[in-house]
Amino acid sequence: MPPEDEQAHRRHAMVAAQLRGRDIVDERVLRAMEAVPRERFVGERQQRRAYDDAALPISGGQTISQPYMVARICEALRLTGGERVLDVGTGSGYQAAVLAELSAEVYTIERIPELAELARERLAAAGYERVHVHVGDGTLGLPEHAPYDGIAVAAAAPGFPQTLYQQLKPRGRLVVPVGSARGQRLEVAVRSPEGPALIHSVPCRFVPLVGAEGFEQ
Ligand code: SAM
C-alpha cells in the first residue's frame, strides 16, 4: 500500500477506535479528525506512531497531544463554523489545524520560537496557511485579536487563567487543563455575567504552561 494510503487507513482506525469508540460524539469534530493528516505534524522518526493513542515527542522537549485529548478539547469548545478561536501552545500545529477545520479564524501562540516556525511551515504545507501563528507568552492571550468565541489551552495551568477568560466573548468557552505539573483536570469555563460557569471534565496530563500566569520556567 502507498505510504499515504497506509496513513489514511491508520487515521480512519484512530477515529473509529480512539474517538468514536470512547465518547467523542460531535460529528464535526470526528470529520475534522478524519481530515487532518497528523503524520504531517510529526518528524520522520514518529511516522509509524503518528496515529498511536498517545502524545508523541516533538522538538524542544514538548509533545504533540494525544488524538483523544485534541478531540475532547475541540468538542468542549462547541464550535459550529463561524467562530474566532485562540489556540494556546501551538506545539506541532496539529490542534490548530483541527481547529481550522472547525471554525472561521484561528490564532495560535507558542512560546518557543523554533517550534512556532516549524508549525507555521507544516501548517502551510498541509494547506492551513490561514492559521495565524504568533510567538509569545500565551498565558497573557493575544489581546490584539480578542475577543474570542473559544480559547483552547494545550498545556497545564497551575490555576484558572483569568487573563485568558477576560479575552472571551460573552458565552465564549475556555478549555484548559488545570492542576499540578504531575496531573490535571480538563476544565471548561463558559463566560457569563455572573463569572465563569465551570464544568469539570476528564483527568489529563499535559506539559506545563510556562509564563506570567503559568508555571515558572
Ligand atoms: N496542541 C499542540 C499540538 O497539537 O501539537 C500540543 C502542544 S504541547 C502539549 C504544549 C505546548 O505549549 C508546547 O509547545 C509548549 O512550548 C507550549 N507552551 C507552554 N507554555 C506556553 C505559553 N505560556 N505560551 C505559549 N505556548 C506555551
Side-chain angles (χ1 to χ4, degrees), residues 48-186:
R48 286 197 64 77
R49 300 192 58 202
Y51 292 98
D52 280 10
D53 189 12
L56 298 173
I58 56 174
S59 47
Q62 303 301 321
T63 54
I64 176 173
S65 311
Q66 179 195 22
Y68 174 73
M69 285 312 308
V70 173
R72 188 82 196 216
I73 288 173
C74 290
E75 188 171 68
L77 288 172
R78 302 229 183 124
L79 300 168
T80 58
E83 296 86 356
R84 173 182 296 194
V85 174
L86 175 64
D87 172 52
V88 176
T90 312
S92 68
Y94 174 68
Q95 181 163 300
V98 176
L99 288 168
E101 292 282 343
L102 293 167
S103 60
E105 250 181 295
V106 180
Y107 294 88
T108 181
I109 181 163
E110 169 58 54
R111 63 180 278 272
I112 302 176
E114 295 76 16
L115 276 183
E117 187 46 43
L118 189 56
R120 191 179 284 119
E121 284 168 20
R122 287 180 168 166
L123 282 161
Y128 297 100
E129 51 278 278
R130 66 188 179 83
V131 171
H132 308 277
V133 182
H134 291 251
V135 177
D137 179 1
T139 68
L140 304 177
L142 201 55
E144 58 269 40
H145 299 292
Y148 303 97
D149 300 283
I151 301 179
V153 184
F160 185 75
Q162 279 298 341
T163 299
L164 291 176
Y165 177 76
Q166 296 303 332
Q167 290 180 19
L168 286 174
K169 291 182 190 173
R171 306 303 302 161
R173 295 168 83 87
L174 164 65
V175 185
V176 54
V178 179
S180 73
R182 280 186 303 184
Q184 311 93 38
R185 186 168 283 278
L186 197 65

